[in-house]
Amino acid sequence: MTRAELRKAAQKKGKGGGGRRGPAAASAAAAAGPGKKRFIDYPRFGKTGVRRWLPSWKLVFSVFLLFFAMGVGGVFYLYQTTEVPNLKDLVNNQNTIYYWADNTEMTRKGETNRQIVELSDINPTLQNAVISAENETFRTDSGIDPKGMLRAVYNMAKGGETQGASTITQQYVKNAYLSQEQTISRKMKEFFITLKINQQKSKDDILKGYLNTSWFGRNANGAQAAAQAYYGVNAKDLNLCQSAMLAGLLKGANYYDPSKPANHDRAVERWKWILDRMVITHNATPEERAKCTTFPEPIAPKASSNMNGEISYLVDTANQYVMSTDKSITQQVIDKGGLKIYTTFEKDKVDALKKAVDDVKGENLDPQKRPNNDTFVQFGAASIRPGDGAMVAIYGGDGVENGHFDNNANAGGVQVGSTFKPFVLATAMQTGVQTAKDSDGKPKRISADSRYLADDMSEIRKPDGSLVIGDDGKPYRQKNEDAGKRGYVTLRQAMQYSYNVPFVQLNQDVGGPAVADMAVQMGIKRESLADPKTATFPLGTSTISPIRMATGYGTLAASGKEAEPYSVTKVEVDGKERPGFGKKDPKVALEPAVADNVTDVLVNVAKNGTGTKTNTLGRPVAGKTGTTDQNKSAWWVGYTPQLVTSVAMWREDPNKHDRESLNGTGGKESIHGGDIPTDIFTRYMKAALANEKKMDFPTPQPVGTEVDSSGAPSTATATATQTPSSAPTTAETQQPTQQPNQPQPPQPTQGSGCVPGVDCPPTQPPTHTPKPTASSCIPLVNCPPNPTPSDTSGGSTKPGKPTPSSTGGPQAGGAAG
């Protein structure tokens, strides 16, 4: 009988016995013999319970041998069928093509600088520097780093970022593939090619291939091209110091090219580290190392003719966006070519922005006449569609053909001054002030009609009423630009005339960290913000790029919707479109009523305050000026419902990378945000919006309540006073003939019985309808008109702790305008 027949017979016996098959039946079946054997005895015959389902050691061993044999066979097959590319096949680079927003070609980049040379034509110092820095055991290892391979595969499997190859042999193999996709199958191919190359080629051949295919930046592939690009010499003529610098670029040229100011310090540190490693690995003697005392600065990059004007900055902006969106696309991949990058940049607007900057520069700056004031003047600008995030134009600098390689549109290190104040006001309207509570105990949300003290050199208090203390232990006093006693003014007026004191106090009432969080919600990068716990944080000590300032104000223009800026709509790699590019869904950062009320305040700034130059645009404009202490930067950030544009101006010696004062630039005692930056904005926006209809901003719905700061008079009988010694000291009052079109802020009068802009009798038609008060006039409705002030500076550029100003000295860390 077969096993099946025996099993059936046993079951019948069990049923006939009136119960389950018992141990006796099982034993009887086993005693009857197994019958015809199965190829795989599973489930196991003659076993009961758990043992019936536990495989025997023979079965386990057999399965192991089977899979082992299959694995060995698979590895052998893959090894045999994997081909090693020829070095000459690795230089077939293609163009990377960039397109305007209308899909017409902007430029193309693909003239890769590469020349294959023999190892003997590469100086031994560079060979040894690369080995010491990248793979000190190169001469003796198998070419494989198992731990590194497993780590890379694990990171890819879990969706994390991958890492570079570990050995020189693996890096050479990686360079051999035009496709830089990070997949497990590609890693497996890399593994087998590495094994094959390590067996078939000598170490010198591998090193030759690696040094001829490695990317060094500056569009240079290979040691010969790199030596020419950075030092203007052949690779065989490099010295030890130069070789150590070039070897450092292999870790990431975008990160270690010392030509970029942000890279210089780390490039020097890596250069020193490589020289020390060369001594440790016996690839250089201590005596040779000692000769490298001065960092070998590379020559200036050579500009490609198709990257002149603003094109290089547009390409740089697009590249940075592509690489941050798709981590598998590196600068090396872009330089190798085969990509089509479709941008958001509109050619007519890019040309209009450049023309506006060039025209204003030509009319105001004369480096020949004023070499100590009009040289090194820099401009950066960005223009974005609010609610969408598309960058339609940027101004990055004078052009690579003029030796300017940094992209000013994305520049850091330039303080934004009083253009930061709207973020403080928005926070107060959205989250409320800690000095007043709602019925539910939450901070009370305020309106722009809330009154704050604007007297120069006022003490600043914390929400609990205690004084803010400066570094020397004395109460900190905040400085306005002029020394007038302004009394209590509305926040609308404080923004219009860019008074510092009200916003420094408001920032204390709201809380600096809350303001920082709000700025981030509105599109500002947190890493660009200064310490929010300092008293002068609201005065713009942060160093935010023009692109991000335009993004933040774009949130206001879009009624509170923050749209991430983007410069690329589509990317194709070797004909295949990559996902993840284009417009992202906007996020709600502010309540519409809050955003629209802040916009209403900024419309008043543009129409009646420090931005009156924009009135010639002939359409509704909102915006804010900014000028930092010592006049080291000047800003205008403004918008219409269709377009938001930021313009920054500063001076920077390219050899020192230090910000210098704009005082004296253009023959003017000082430069303000309401001057040259606003002029550039207005000229550009006239051209950019020429074919677009005029649009009004949304009518703001009521938000918040009037919450006056401590000490504000309950009625409008308070009288502001001004002593003879506190006359204004702005540049405009000292030399009024230089800026005849810039009137002064309101001057309080003694004994008049009213505070200008708060409770003086009416002389002009109403322009705003705030909440009525118990005073004899409604602010900005029936109070007398105030002349428009100049945008002025009021703080230093140090964003540290507040320095007390009880003696009348300048504030620390502030910026105003």
Side-chain angles (χ1 to χ4, degrees):
M1 296 176 67
T2 64
R3 289 175 181 256
E5 292 170 336
L6 288 171
R7 195 174 293 116
K8 288 180 180 179
Q11 290 174 352
K12 288 181 180 179
K13 279 189 176 184
K15 290 179 181 179
R20 291 185 178 181
R21 178 182 177 184
S27 299
K36 185 178 180 180
K37 289 186 177 180
R38 292 183 298 175
F39 180 73
I40 299 177
D41 183 22
Y42 193 82
R44 297 172 67 185
F45 178 77
K47 304 296 183 182
T48 59
V50 176
R51 296 182 61 196
R52 175 176 172 77
W53 300 101
L54 290 177
S56 65
W57 68 268
K58 291 181 180 180
L59 181 59
V60 173
F61 184 66
S62 299
V63 171
F64 170 76
L65 289 178
L66 177 63
F67 279 99
F68 179 78
M70 290 173 62
V72 171
V75 170
F76 180 77
Y77 172 79
L78 291 173
Y79 180 82
Q80 291 297 324
T81 56
T82 300
E83 296 183 1
V84 178
N86 293 321
L87 184 59
K88 65 180 181 179
D89 297 330
L90 309 180
V91 297
N92 296 326
N93 294 290
Q94 308 172 59
N95 286 312
T96 288
I97 307 175
Y98 299 83
Y99 297 90
W100 293 105
D102 62 1
N103 292 337
T104 58
E105 185 174 321
M106 177 196 300
T107 190
R108 56 180 60 206
K109 191 176 182 182
E111 299 175 359
T112 301
N113 182 12
R114 188 208 302 271
Q115 181 182 349
I116 303 296
V117 295
E118 296 299 323
L119 192 62
S120 58
D121 289 326
I122 300 175
N123 197 288
T125 59
L126 179 56
Q127 300 177 37
N128 291 331
V130 169
I131 291 173
S132 298
E134 298 292 310
N135 181 195
E136 63 183 77
T137 62
F138 167 71
R139 296 288 183 186
T140 57
D141 64 30
S142 63
I144 291 288
D145 177 10
K147 290 183 179 179
M149 290 285 291
L150 290 174
R151 190 164 52 245
V153 170
Y154 173 74
N155 287 339
M156 282 186 290
K158 71 176 185 178
E161 291 189 24
T162 59
Q163 59 190 45
S166 301
T167 69
I168 284 178
T169 308
Q170 287 177 270
Q171 292 179 54
Y172 168 47
V173 170
K174 185 177 180 181
N175 292 343
Y177 275 87
L178 294 178
S179 170
Q180 295 293 313
E181 59 178 347
Q182 296 294 335
T183 62
I184 294 178
S185 61
R186 201 198 68 81
K187 274 291 179 186
M188 293 301 295
K189 289 181 181 179
E190 177 186 309
F191 174 79
F192 288 114
I193 292 176
T194 302
L195 285 177
K196 216 164 192 177
I197 282 181
N198 201 60
Q199 290 186 359
Q200 295 178 358
K201 294 182 178 291
S202 68
K203 290 292 186 179
D204 282 350
D205 286 339
I206 294 172
L207 187 60
K208 170 191 170 182
Y210 176 62
L211 291 175
N212 275 296
T213 58
S214 291
W215 183 70
F216 288 84
R218 292 196 181 185
N219 214 29
N221 280 272
Q224 173 65 14
Q228 288 286 349
Y230 286 91
Y231 292 111
V233 301
N234 291 321
K236 64 181 179 181
D237 297 324
L238 292 166
N239 59 41
L240 174 65
C241 307
Q242 295 168 335
S243 294
M245 199 290 291
L246 291 178
L249 297 173
L250 294 175
K251 190 174 181 66
N254 278 340
Y255 200 67
Y256 288 101
D257 182 350
S259 303
K260 300 178 180 180
N263 293 350
H264 195 273
D265 289 344
R266 57 175 165 258
V268 172
E269 289 303 313
R270 181 155 179 81
W271 173 72
K272 293 177 180 178
W273 179 83
I274 290 175
L275 289 170
D276 293 339
R277 289 297 303 167
M278 292 183 72
V279 174
I280 293 173
T281 57
H282 306 292
N283 283 317
T285 65
E287 292 74 22
E288 291 171 332
R289 164 68 178 89
K291 294 179 181 179
C292 293
T293 56
T294 303
F295 183 73
E297 299 289 351
I299 61 177
K302 295 179 181 179
S304 176
S305 59
N306 65 342
M307 290 289 151
N308 289 347
E310 296 306 300
I311 298 297
S312 66
Y313 311 121
L314 300 176
V315 167
D316 173 73
T317 302
N319 286 347
Q320 295 302 320
Y321 181 77
V322 168
M323 290 187 290
S324 64
T325 303
D326 188 334
K327 299 296 184 182
S328 69
I329 302 178
T330 64
Q331 187 66 54
Q332 184 177 2
V333 173
I334 294 173
D335 284 352
K336 282 187 173 183
L339 283 76
K340 291 183 177 180
I341 299 176
Y342 296 82
T343 76
T344 59
F345 299 118
E346 300 178 22
K347 188 177 187 305
D348 59 335
K349 290 181 174 58
V350 171
D351 292 342
L353 184 54
K354 177 174 171 54
K355 185 179 187 302
V357 175
D358 290 345
D359 288 351
V360 172
K361 284 171 60 179
E363 295 171 14
N364 291 274
L365 305 182
D366 190 345
Q368 299 297 325
K369 183 178 179 180
R370 294 179 292 270
N372 294 328
N373 300 105
D374 290 4
T375 54
F376 310 139
V377 178
Q378 303 285 334
F379 292 90
S383 190
I384 296 176
R385 293 200 181 277
D388 183 286
M391 286 184 257
V392 298
I394 61 169
Y395 181 85
D398 292 335
V400 292
E401 70 275 18
N402 296 314
H404 186 89
F405 296 92
D406 296 331
N407 185 356
N408 287 351
N410 200 32
V414 183
Q415 291 186 336
V416 299
S418 287
T419 57
F420 195 79
K421 289 175 180 175
F423 297 113
V424 184
L425 181 58
T427 310
M429 288 183 169
Q430 177 94 0
T431 65
V433 292
Q434 302 174 54
T435 51
K437 302 292 184 180
D438 282 329
S439 57
D440 58 2
K442 294 182 179 180
K444 184 177 287 292
R445 300 168 63 178
I446 71 172
S447 71
D449 300 316
S450 302
R451 294 177 299 165
Y452 271 68
L453 182 64
D455 288 352
D456 183 49
M457 303 306 296
S458 293
E459 294 178 336
I460 304 298
R461 296 183 179 273
K462 299 177 182 178
D464 62 5
S466 62
L467 291 171
V468 173
I469 304 300
D471 288 340
D472 60 357
K474 297 180 180 179
Y476 171 66
R477 294 179 180 270
Q478 179 58 52
K479 185 183 187 307
N480 290 326
E481 175 57 25
D482 64 74
K485 298 293 185 181
R486 305 300 174 194
Y488 284 84
V489 301
T490 66
L491 291 173
R492 179 181 299 274
Q493 288 178 290
M495 189 77 76
Q496 177 180 345
Y497 299 115
S498 206
Y499 295 142
N500 289 339
V501 172
F503 284 97
V504 171
Q505 184 59 64
L506 180 62
N507 182 74
Q508 288 291 324
D509 294 349
V510 175
V515 174
D517 291 342
M518 178 60 69
V520 172
Q521 282 183 223
M522 293 174 66
I524 305 302
K525 290 290 188 182
R526 190 174 294 276
E527 56 267 27
S528 66
L529 295 176
D531 184 358
K533 295 180 181 179
T534 58
T536 52
F537 176 66
L539 301 183
T541 55
S542 300
T543 54
I544 306 166
S545 72
I547 290 175
R548 283 293 166 175
M549 284 303 294
T551 301
Y553 275 54
T555 300
L556 298 173
S559 294
K561 292 182 179 179
E562 188 270 330
E564 275 297 292
Y566 68 101
S567 58
V568 175
T569 58
K570 184 171 69 171
V571 173
E572 294 179 1
V573 180
D574 295 328
K576 296 181 180 179
E577 184 175 346
R578 291 293 182 91
F581 293 95
K583 177 184 176 180
K584 305 296 187 297
D585 292 334
K587 299 176 295 184
V588 177
L590 287 172
E591 292 180 11
V594 171
D596 294 342
N597 272 274
V598 176
T599 290
D600 190 54
V601 171
L602 298 183
V603 167
N604 183 56
V605 172
K607 186 176 182 180
N608 304 310
T610 57
T612 53
K613 281 198 174 191
T614 63
N615 288 338
T616 61
L617 191 57
R619 62 173 70 218
V621 178
K624 184 70 184 77
T625 51
T627 308
T628 56
D629 184 52
Q630 301 177 35
N631 215 208
K632 288 190 175 181
S633 63
W635 287 75
W636 169 263
V637 187
Y639 54 94
T640 67
Q642 303 104 316
L643 207 58
V644 54
T645 302
S646 62
V647 180
M649 176 183 181
W650 68 94
R651 286 187 69 216
E652 179 181 5
D653 186 336
N655 298 317
K656 300 177 182 177
H657 301 298
D658 290 332
R659 305 283 186 260
E660 298 183 359
S661 176
L662 289 168
N663 289 338
T665 298
K668 301 176 182 180
E669 183 173 343
S670 59
I671 297 293
H672 307 285
D675 188 11
I676 289 179
T678 306
D679 193 7
I680 292 173
F681 168 89
T682 304
R683 297 188 189 204
Y684 161 70
M685 294 289 274
K686 280 183 180 179
L689 298 173
N691 297 322
E692 298 194 33
K693 65 179 182 180
K694 296 180 182 179
M695 294 180 62
D696 292 324
F697 291 106
T699 301
Q701 299 300 311
V703 65
T705 57
E706 181 182 327
V707 181
D708 297 334
S709 65
S710 176
S714 57
T715 62
T717 57
T719 301
T721 59
Q722 179 178 355
T723 62
S725 62
S726 62
T729 59
T730 63
E732 287 71 20
T733 56
Q734 293 168 354
Q735 295 191 10
T737 58
Q738 289 186 356
Q739 301 208 17
N741 296 324
Q742 296 285 349
Q744 291 302 299
Q747 297 294 324
T749 57
Q750 287 183 317
S752 64
C754 70
V755 178
V758 177
D759 57 355
C760 294
T763 59
Q764 69 173 18
T767 59
H768 176 64
T769 309
K771 175 183 176 181
T773 65
S775 63
S776 58
C777 71
I778 301 174
L780 297 176
V781 175
N782 57 357
C783 294
N786 295 320
T788 303
S790 292
D791 169 65
T792 52
S793 156
S796 81
T797 58
K798 298 178 181 179
K801 291 183 179 180
T803 299
S805 304
S806 54
T807 59
Q811 75 201 63

